Coordinates of all heavy atoms in Angstrom, one line a residue:
A1 N -11.6 8.2 -13.1 CA -10.6 8.8 -13.9 C -10.3 7.8 -15.1 O -10.5 6.6 -14.9 CB -9.3 9.0 -13.2
F2 N -9.9 8.3 -16.2 CA -9.5 7.5 -17.3 C -8.1 7.1 -17.2 O -7.2 7.9 -17.0 CB -9.7 8.4 -18.6 CG -9.3 7.7 -19.9 CD1 -10.0 6.7 -20.4 CD2 -8.1 8.1 -20.5 CE1 -9.6 6.1 -21.6 CE2 -7.7 7.5 -21.7 CZ -8.5 6.5 -22.2
L3 N -7.8 5.8 -17.2 CA -6.5 5.3 -16.9 C -5.8 4.8 -18.2 O -6.3 3.9 -18.9 CB -6.5 4.1 -15.9 CG -5.2 3.5 -15.6 CD1 -4.2 4.5 -15.0 CD2 -5.4 2.3 -14.7
V4 N -4.7 5.4 -18.5 CA -3.8 5.0 -19.6 C -2.5 4.5 -18.9 O -1.9 5.2 -18.1 CB -3.4 6.1 -20.6 CG1 -2.5 5.6 -21.6 CG2 -4.7 6.7 -21.2
T5 N -2.2 3.2 -19.1 CA -1.0 2.6 -18.3 C -0.2 1.7 -19.2 O -0.7 1.3 -20.3 CB -1.5 1.9 -17.1 OG1 -0.4 1.5 -16.3 CG2 -2.3 0.6 -17.5
D6 N 1.0 1.5 -18.8 CA 1.9 0.6 -19.5 C 1.3 -0.9 -19.4 O 0.8 -1.2 -18.4 CB 3.3 0.7 -19.1 CG 3.5 0.4 -17.6 OD1 2.7 0.7 -16.8 OD2 4.6 -0.1 -17.3
K7 N 1.5 -1.6 -20.5 CA 1.0 -3.0 -20.5 C 1.9 -3.9 -19.6 O 3.1 -4.0 -19.9 CB 0.9 -3.5 -21.9 CG 0.2 -4.8 -22.1 CD 0.1 -5.1 -23.6 CE -0.8 -6.4 -23.8 NZ -1.0 -6.7 -25.2
K8 N 1.2 -4.6 -18.7 CA 1.9 -5.5 -17.8 C 1.3 -6.9 -18.1 O 0.1 -7.0 -18.4 CB 1.7 -5.1 -16.3 CG 2.3 -3.8 -16.0 CD 3.8 -3.8 -16.0 CE 4.3 -2.5 -15.5 NZ 5.7 -2.4 -15.7
S9 N 2.0 -7.9 -17.8 CA 1.6 -9.3 -18.0 C 0.3 -9.7 -17.2 O -0.5 -10.4 -17.7 CB 2.7 -10.3 -17.8 OG 3.1 -10.3 -16.4
N10 N 0.2 -9.1 -16.0 CA -1.0 -9.5 -15.2 C -2.1 -8.4 -15.2 O -3.1 -8.6 -14.5 CB -0.5 -9.7 -13.8 CG 0.0 -8.4 -13.1 OD1 0.3 -7.4 -13.8 ND2 0.0 -8.4 -11.8
L11 N -2.0 -7.4 -16.0 CA -3.0 -6.4 -16.1 C -4.4 -6.9 -16.3 O -5.4 -6.5 -15.7 CB -2.7 -5.3 -17.1 CG -3.6 -4.1 -17.1 CD1 -3.6 -3.4 -15.8 CD2 -3.3 -3.2 -18.2
A12 N -4.5 -7.9 -17.2 CA -5.8 -8.4 -17.6 C -6.5 -9.2 -16.4 O -7.7 -9.4 -16.5 CB -5.7 -9.4 -18.8
E13 N -5.7 -9.5 -15.4 CA -6.3 -10.1 -14.2 C -7.1 -9.1 -13.4 O -7.9 -9.5 -12.6 CB -5.2 -10.8 -13.3 CG -4.5 -11.9 -14.0 CD -3.3 -12.4 -13.2 OE1 -3.2 -12.1 -12.0 OE2 -2.4 -13.0 -13.8
M14 N -6.7 -7.8 -13.5 CA -7.4 -6.8 -12.7 C -8.4 -5.9 -13.5 O -9.4 -5.5 -12.9 CB -6.3 -5.9 -12.1 CG -5.3 -6.7 -11.3 SD -4.1 -5.8 -10.4 CE -3.5 -4.5 -11.4
F15 N -8.1 -5.7 -14.8 CA -8.9 -4.9 -15.6 C -9.0 -5.4 -17.0 O -8.0 -6.1 -17.5 CB -8.4 -3.4 -15.7 CG -8.5 -2.7 -14.4 CD1 -7.4 -2.5 -13.6 CD2 -9.7 -2.1 -14.0 CE1 -7.4 -1.8 -12.4 CE2 -9.7 -1.4 -12.8 CZ -8.6 -1.3 -12.0
E16 N -10.1 -5.2 -17.7 CA -10.1 -5.6 -19.1 C -9.6 -4.5 -20.0 O -10.2 -3.5 -20.2 CB -11.6 -5.9 -19.5 CG -11.7 -6.6 -20.8 CD -13.1 -7.1 -21.1 OE1 -14.0 -7.1 -20.2 OE2 -13.4 -7.4 -22.3
P17 N -8.4 -4.7 -20.6 CA -7.8 -3.7 -21.5 C -8.8 -3.4 -22.7 O -9.4 -4.2 -23.3 CB -6.6 -4.4 -22.0 CG -6.2 -5.4 -20.9 CD -7.5 -5.9 -20.4
G18 N -8.8 -2.1 -22.9 CA -9.7 -1.6 -24.0 C -11.1 -1.3 -23.6 O -11.9 -0.6 -24.3
K19 N -11.5 -1.9 -22.4 CA -12.9 -1.7 -21.9 C -12.9 -1.0 -20.6 O -13.8 -0.3 -20.3 CB -13.6 -3.0 -21.8 CG -13.9 -3.6 -23.2 CD -14.9 -4.8 -23.1 CE -15.1 -5.3 -24.5 NZ -16.2 -6.2 -24.6
E20 N -11.9 -1.2 -19.7 CA -11.9 -0.6 -18.4 C -10.6 0.2 -18.2 O -10.5 0.9 -17.2 CB -11.9 -1.7 -17.3 CG -13.2 -2.5 -17.4 CD -13.2 -3.8 -16.5 OE1 -12.1 -4.4 -16.3 OE2 -14.3 -4.1 -16.1
V21 N -9.6 0.0 -19.1 CA -8.3 0.7 -19.0 C -7.7 0.6 -20.4 O -8.1 -0.2 -21.2 CB -7.4 0.0 -18.0 CG1 -7.1 -1.4 -18.4 CG2 -6.2 0.7 -17.7
V22 N -6.8 1.6 -20.7 CA -6.2 1.6 -22.0 C -4.7 1.4 -21.7 O -4.1 2.0 -20.8 CB -6.4 2.9 -22.7 CG1 -5.6 3.1 -24.0 CG2 -7.9 3.1 -23.1
C23 N -4.1 0.5 -22.5 CA -2.7 0.1 -22.3 C -1.8 0.5 -23.5 O -2.3 0.4 -24.7 CB -2.6 -1.4 -22.1 SG -3.6 -2.0 -20.8
Y24 N -0.6 0.8 -23.2 CA 0.4 1.1 -24.3 C 1.6 0.2 -24.1 O 1.9 -0.2 -23.0 CB 0.8 2.5 -24.4 CG 1.4 3.1 -23.1 CD1 2.8 3.0 -22.9 CD2 0.6 3.6 -22.1 CE1 3.4 3.4 -21.7 CE2 1.2 4.1 -20.9 CZ 2.6 4.0 -20.8 OH 3.2 4.4 -19.6
E25 N 2.4 0.0 -25.2 CA 3.6 -0.7 -25.1 C 4.9 0.1 -25.4 O 6.0 -0.4 -25.2 CB 3.6 -1.9 -26.1 CG 2.5 -3.0 -25.6 CD 2.5 -4.2 -26.5 OE1 3.7 -4.7 -26.8 OE2 1.5 -4.7 -26.8
S26 N 4.7 1.3 -25.9 CA 5.8 2.2 -26.2 C 5.4 3.7 -25.9 O 4.2 4.0 -25.8 CB 6.2 2.1 -27.6 OG 5.2 2.6 -28.5
A27 N 6.4 4.5 -25.7 CA 6.1 5.9 -25.5 C 5.3 6.5 -26.7 O 4.3 7.3 -26.5 CB 7.4 6.7 -25.3
E28 N 5.6 6.1 -27.9 CA 4.9 6.6 -29.1 C 3.4 6.2 -29.0 O 2.5 7.0 -29.3 CB 5.6 6.1 -30.3 CG 4.9 6.6 -31.6 CD 5.6 6.2 -32.9 OE1 6.6 6.8 -33.2 OE2 5.1 5.2 -33.5
E29 N 3.2 4.9 -28.7 CA 1.8 4.4 -28.6 C 1.1 5.2 -27.5 O -0.1 5.5 -27.7 CB 1.8 2.9 -28.4 CG 0.4 2.4 -28.4 CD 0.3 0.9 -28.1 OE1 1.3 0.3 -27.6 OE2 -0.7 0.3 -28.4
C30 N 1.7 5.4 -26.4 CA 1.1 6.2 -25.3 C 0.6 7.5 -25.8 O -0.5 7.9 -25.6 CB 2.0 6.3 -24.2 SG 1.3 7.3 -22.8
L31 N 1.5 8.3 -26.5 CA 1.1 9.6 -27.0 C 0.0 9.5 -28.0 O -0.9 10.3 -28.0 CB 2.3 10.2 -27.7 CG 3.5 10.6 -26.7 CD1 4.7 11.1 -27.5 CD2 3.0 11.7 -25.8
D32 N 0.0 8.5 -28.9 CA -1.1 8.3 -29.9 C -2.4 8.0 -29.1 O -3.5 8.6 -29.5 CB -0.8 7.1 -30.8 CG 0.4 7.5 -31.8 OD1 0.7 8.6 -31.9 OD2 0.9 6.5 -32.4
L33 N -2.4 7.2 -28.1 CA -3.6 6.9 -27.4 C -4.1 8.1 -26.6 O -5.4 8.4 -26.6 CB -3.4 5.7 -26.4 CG -3.2 4.4 -27.1 CD1 -2.7 3.4 -26.0 CD2 -4.5 3.9 -27.7
V34 N -3.3 8.8 -26.0 CA -3.7 10.0 -25.3 C -4.3 11.0 -26.2 O -5.4 11.6 -26.0 CB -2.5 10.7 -24.5 CG1 -2.8 12.1 -24.0 CG2 -2.1 9.8 -23.4
E35 N -3.7 11.2 -27.4 CA -4.3 12.1 -28.4 C -5.6 11.6 -28.9 O -6.6 12.4 -29.0 CB -3.3 12.3 -29.6 CG -3.7 13.3 -30.6 CD -3.8 14.7 -30.0 OE1 -3.3 15.0 -29.0 OE2 -4.5 15.6 -30.7
F36 N -5.7 10.3 -29.2 CA -7.0 9.8 -29.7 C -8.1 10.0 -28.6 O -9.2 10.5 -29.0 CB -6.8 8.3 -30.0 CG -8.1 7.6 -30.3 CD1 -8.6 7.7 -31.6 CD2 -8.8 6.9 -29.4 CE1 -9.9 7.1 -31.9 CE2 -10.0 6.3 -29.7 CZ -10.6 6.4 -31.0
Y37 N -7.9 9.6 -27.4 CA -8.9 9.7 -26.4 C -9.2 11.1 -25.9 O -10.3 11.4 -25.5 CB -8.6 8.8 -25.2 CG -8.8 7.3 -25.6 CD1 -7.8 6.5 -25.8 CD2 -10.1 6.8 -25.7 CE1 -8.0 5.1 -26.2 CE2 -10.3 5.5 -26.1 CZ -9.3 4.7 -26.3 OH -9.5 3.4 -26.7
R38 N -8.2 12.0 -26.1 CA -8.4 13.4 -25.8 C -9.5 14.0 -26.8 O -10.3 14.8 -26.4 CB -7.1 14.2 -25.9 CG -7.2 15.6 -25.5 CD -5.9 16.4 -25.7 NE -5.6 16.6 -27.1 CZ -6.1 17.5 -27.9 NH1 -7.0 18.3 -27.4 NH2 -5.8 17.6 -29.2
K39 N -9.5 13.5 -28.0 CA -10.5 13.9 -29.0 C -11.8 13.1 -29.0 O -12.7 13.5 -29.7 CB -9.8 13.8 -30.4 CG -8.7 14.8 -30.6 CD -8.0 14.6 -31.9 CE -6.9 15.5 -32.1 NZ -6.2 15.3 -33.5
N40 N -11.8 12.0 -28.3 CA -13.0 11.1 -28.3 C -13.6 11.0 -26.9 O -13.5 10.0 -26.2 CB -12.6 9.8 -28.8 CG -12.3 9.8 -30.3 OD1 -13.2 9.8 -31.1 ND2 -11.0 9.9 -30.6
E41 N -14.1 12.1 -26.4 CA -14.6 12.2 -25.0 C -15.7 11.1 -24.7 O -15.6 10.5 -23.6 CB -15.2 13.6 -24.7 CG -15.2 13.9 -23.3 CD -16.4 13.3 -22.5 OE1 -17.5 13.2 -23.2 OE2 -16.3 13.0 -21.4
P42 N -16.6 10.8 -25.5 CA -17.6 9.8 -25.2 C -17.0 8.4 -24.9 O -17.3 7.7 -23.9 CB -18.6 9.7 -26.4 CG -18.4 11.1 -27.0 CD -17.0 11.4 -26.8
E43 N -16.0 8.0 -25.7 CA -15.3 6.7 -25.6 C -14.5 6.8 -24.3 O -14.4 5.8 -23.5 CB -14.5 6.4 -26.8 CG -13.8 5.1 -26.7 CD -14.7 3.9 -26.8 OE1 -15.9 4.0 -26.9 OE2 -14.2 2.8 -26.6
R44 N -13.8 7.9 -24.1 CA -13.0 8.1 -22.9 C -13.8 8.0 -21.6 O -13.5 7.3 -20.7 CB -12.3 9.4 -23.0 CG -11.3 9.7 -21.8 CD -10.5 11.0 -22.0 NE -11.4 12.1 -21.7 CZ -11.7 13.1 -22.6 NH1 -11.1 13.1 -23.8 NH2 -12.5 14.1 -22.2
A45 N -15.0 8.6 -21.7 CA -15.9 8.6 -20.5 C -16.4 7.2 -20.3 O -16.6 6.7 -19.1 CB -17.0 9.6 -20.7
R46 N -16.7 6.4 -21.3 CA -17.2 5.1 -21.2 C -16.2 4.2 -20.5 O -16.5 3.4 -19.6 CB -17.6 4.5 -22.6 CG -18.3 3.1 -22.5 CD -18.4 2.5 -23.9 NE -17.1 2.2 -24.5 CZ -16.3 1.3 -24.1 NH1 -16.6 0.5 -23.1 NH2 -15.1 1.1 -24.8
I47 N -14.9 4.3 -21.0 CA -13.9 3.4 -20.4 C -13.6 3.9 -19.0 O -13.4 3.0 -18.1 CB -12.6 3.5 -21.3 CG1 -12.8 2.9 -22.6 CG2 -11.4 2.9 -20.6 CD1 -11.7 3.1 -23.6
A48 N -13.6 5.1 -18.7 CA -13.4 5.6 -17.3 C -14.5 5.1 -16.4 O -14.2 4.7 -15.3 CB -13.3 7.1 -17.3
A49 N -15.7 5.2 -16.8 CA -16.8 4.7 -16.0 C -16.7 3.2 -15.7 O -17.0 2.7 -14.6 CB -18.2 5.0 -16.6
A50 N -16.4 2.4 -16.8 CA -16.2 1.0 -16.6 C -15.1 0.7 -15.7 O -15.2 -0.2 -14.8 CB -16.0 0.3 -18.0
G51 N -14.0 1.4 -15.8 CA -12.9 1.2 -14.9 C -13.2 1.5 -13.4 O -12.8 0.8 -12.5
Q52 N -14.0 2.6 -13.3 CA -14.4 3.0 -11.9 C -15.4 1.9 -11.3 O -15.2 1.5 -10.1 CB -15.1 4.3 -12.0 CG -15.5 4.8 -10.6 CD -16.3 6.1 -10.6 OE1 -17.1 6.4 -11.5 NE2 -16.0 7.0 -9.6
R53 N -16.3 1.4 -12.1 CA -17.2 0.4 -11.6 C -16.4 -0.9 -11.1 O -16.6 -1.4 -10.1 CB -18.2 -0.1 -12.7 CG -19.4 0.9 -12.8 CD -20.5 0.3 -13.7 NE -20.0 0.0 -15.0 CZ -19.9 0.8 -16.1 NH1 -20.3 2.1 -15.9 NH2 -19.5 0.4 -17.3
R54 N -15.4 -1.3 -11.9 CA -14.6 -2.4 -11.6 C -13.8 -2.2 -10.3 O -13.7 -3.0 -9.5 CB -13.7 -2.8 -12.8 CG -12.8 -3.9 -12.6 CD -13.5 -5.3 -12.9 NE -12.6 -6.4 -12.8 CZ -12.1 -7.1 -13.8 NH1 -12.4 -6.7 -15.0 NH2 -11.3 -8.1 -13.6
T55 N -13.2 -1.0 -10.2 CA -12.4 -0.6 -9.1 C -13.3 -0.7 -7.8 O -12.9 -1.3 -6.8 CB -11.8 0.8 -9.3 OG1 -10.9 0.7 -10.4 CG2 -11.0 1.2 -8.0
L56 N -14.4 0.0 -7.9 CA -15.3 0.0 -6.7 C -15.8 -1.4 -6.3 O -16.1 -1.6 -5.1 CB -16.4 1.0 -6.9 CG -16.0 2.5 -7.0 CD1 -17.2 3.3 -7.4 CD2 -15.4 3.0 -5.8
A57 N -16.0 -2.2 -7.3 CA -16.5 -3.6 -7.0 C -15.5 -4.6 -6.5 O -15.7 -5.4 -5.7 CB -17.2 -4.1 -8.3
E58 N -14.3 -4.5 -7.1 CA -13.3 -5.5 -6.9 C -12.0 -5.1 -6.3 O -11.2 -5.9 -5.7 CB -13.0 -6.2 -8.2 CG -14.2 -6.9 -8.7 CD -13.8 -7.7 -10.0 OE1 -12.7 -8.0 -10.2 OE2 -14.8 -8.0 -10.8
H59 N -11.6 -3.8 -6.3 CA -10.3 -3.4 -5.9 C -10.4 -2.4 -4.7 O -9.9 -1.3 -4.7 CB -9.6 -2.7 -7.1 CG -9.4 -3.6 -8.3 ND1 -8.8 -4.8 -8.2 CD2 -9.9 -3.5 -9.5 CE1 -8.9 -5.4 -9.4 NE2 -9.6 -4.6 -10.2
T60 N -11.0 -3.0 -3.6 CA -11.2 -2.2 -2.4 C -10.1 -2.5 -1.4 O -9.5 -3.6 -1.5 CB -12.6 -2.5 -1.8 OG1 -12.6 -3.8 -1.4 CG2 -13.7 -2.2 -2.8
Y61 N -10.0 -1.7 -0.4 CA -9.0 -2.0 0.7 C -9.5 -3.2 1.4 O -8.6 -4.1 1.8 CB -9.0 -0.8 1.7 CG -8.2 0.4 1.2 CD1 -8.8 1.6 0.9 CD2 -6.8 0.3 0.9 CE1 -8.1 2.7 0.4 CE2 -6.1 1.4 0.5 CZ -6.8 2.6 0.2 OH -6.1 3.6 -0.3
A62 N -10.7 -3.4 1.6 CA -11.2 -4.6 2.4 C -10.9 -5.9 1.6 O -10.4 -6.8 2.2 CB -12.7 -4.5 2.6
R63 N -11.1 -5.8 0.3 CA -10.7 -7.0 -0.5 C -9.2 -7.3 -0.4 O -8.8 -8.5 -0.3 CB -11.2 -6.9 -1.9 CG -10.9 -8.1 -2.7 CD -11.6 -8.0 -4.1 NE -12.7 -9.0 -4.0 CZ -13.4 -9.3 -5.0 NH1 -13.2 -8.7 -6.2 NH2 -14.3 -10.3 -4.9
R64 N -8.4 -6.3 -0.6 CA -7.0 -6.5 -0.6 C -6.5 -7.0 0.8 O -5.7 -7.8 0.9 CB -6.2 -5.2 -1.0 CG -6.4 -4.8 -2.4 CD -5.7 -5.8 -3.4 NE -6.1 -5.5 -4.7 CZ -7.0 -6.1 -5.4 NH1 -7.6 -7.1 -4.8 NH2 -7.3 -5.8 -6.6
A65 N -7.1 -6.4 1.8 CA -6.7 -6.8 3.2 C -7.0 -8.3 3.4 O -6.3 -9.1 3.9 CB -7.4 -6.0 4.2
G66 N -8.2 -8.7 2.9 CA -8.6 -10.1 3.0 C -7.7 -11.0 2.2 O -7.3 -12.1 2.7
E67 N -7.2 -10.6 1.0 CA -6.3 -11.4 0.3 C -5.0 -11.5 1.0 O -4.4 -12.6 1.0 CB -6.1 -10.8 -1.1 CG -7.3 -10.9 -2.0 CD -7.2 -10.1 -3.3 OE1 -6.2 -9.4 -3.5 OE2 -8.2 -10.2 -4.1
L68 N -4.5 -10.4 1.6 CA -3.2 -10.5 2.3 C -3.3 -11.4 3.5 O -2.4 -12.1 3.9 CB -2.8 -9.1 2.7 CG -2.3 -8.2 1.6 CD1 -2.1 -6.8 2.1 CD2 -1.1 -8.8 0.9
L69 N -4.5 -11.3 4.3 CA -4.6 -12.1 5.4 C -4.7 -13.6 5.1 O -4.2 -14.4 5.8 CB -5.9 -11.7 6.2 CG -5.8 -10.4 6.9 CD1 -7.2 -10.0 7.5 CD2 -4.8 -10.5 8.1
A70 N -5.3 -13.9 3.9 CA -5.3 -15.3 3.5 C -3.9 -15.8 3.2 O -3.7 -17.0 3.3 CB -6.2 -15.4 2.2
L71 N -3.0 -15.0 2.9 CA -1.6 -15.4 2.6 C -0.8 -15.6 3.9 O 0.3 -16.2 3.9 CB -0.9 -14.4 1.7 CG -1.5 -14.2 0.3 CD1 -0.8 -13.1 -0.4 CD2 -1.4 -15.5 -0.5
T72 N -1.3 -15.0 5.0 CA -0.5 -15.0 6.2 C -0.8 -16.3 7.0 O -1.9 -16.7 7.2 CB -1.0 -13.8 7.1 OG1 -0.9 -12.6 6.4 CG2 -0.2 -13.8 8.4
P73 N 0.3 -17.0 7.4 CA 0.1 -18.3 8.1 C -0.7 -18.0 9.4 O -0.4 -17.0 10.1 CB 1.5 -18.7 8.4 CG 2.4 -18.0 7.5 CD 1.7 -16.7 7.2
Q74 N -1.7 -18.8 9.7 CA -2.5 -18.6 10.9 C -1.7 -19.2 12.1 O -1.2 -20.3 12.0 CB -3.8 -19.3 10.8 CG -4.6 -18.7 9.6 CD -4.9 -17.2 9.7 OE1 -5.3 -16.7 10.8 NE2 -4.7 -16.4 8.7
S75 N -1.7 -18.5 13.2 CA -1.0 -19.1 14.4 C -1.9 -20.1 15.1 O -3.1 -20.0 15.1 CB -0.6 -18.0 15.4 OG -1.8 -17.3 15.8
A76 N -1.3 -21.1 15.6 CA -2.1 -22.2 16.3 C -2.4 -21.7 17.7 O -1.7 -21.0 18.4 CB -1.2 -23.4 16.4
S77 N -3.7 -22.0 18.1 CA -4.1 -21.5 19.5 C -3.9 -22.6 20.5 O -4.1 -23.8 20.2 CB -5.6 -21.1 19.4 OG -5.7 -20.0 18.6

């Protein structure tokens, strides 16, 4: 799917804005971006595919579970 989302300070840690996801800072900018990408299917499809590749490679349940487990103190045996 093509993702248009609000700009967060840590978003670039998860996706590359403009290449894997599209970000907006205001409601007006969001509407402009949606209208632009609605009319530009090839660019929309390219960004959606790149975002999907990144998601499948890096944002999996197994990876998130591993990150959470790494934060959990290990009990002594």
Side-chain angles (χ1 to χ4, degrees):
F2 177 74
L3 178 61
V4 178
T5 189
D6 56 328
K7 190 173 186 178
K8 300 290 186 189
S9 61
N10 68 337
L11 183 63
E13 295 171 22
M14 300 185 323
F15 293 99
E16 189 173 348
K19 293 194 176 191
E20 298 169 330
V21 64
V22 172
C23 308
Y24 61 87
E25 294 188 41
S26 68
E28 182 178 280
E29 183 180 20
C30 178
L31 292 173
D32 290 344
L33 288 168
V34 168
E35 184 64 17
F36 174 81
Y37 286 105
R38 187 182 69 78
K39 293 177 180 177
N40 291 280
E41 202 281 328
E43 183 67 7
R44 185 177 72 238
R46 186 191 63 72
I47 292 172
Q52 182 182 40
R53 281 191 302 275
R54 178 84 176 255
T55 298
L56 294 173
E58 296 184 22
H59 304 299
T60 64
Y61 286 112
R63 180 171 251 188
R64 290 293 169 260
E67 290 171 357
L68 290 173
L69 288 173
L71 297 173
T72 305
Q74 301 300 316
S75 61
S77 296

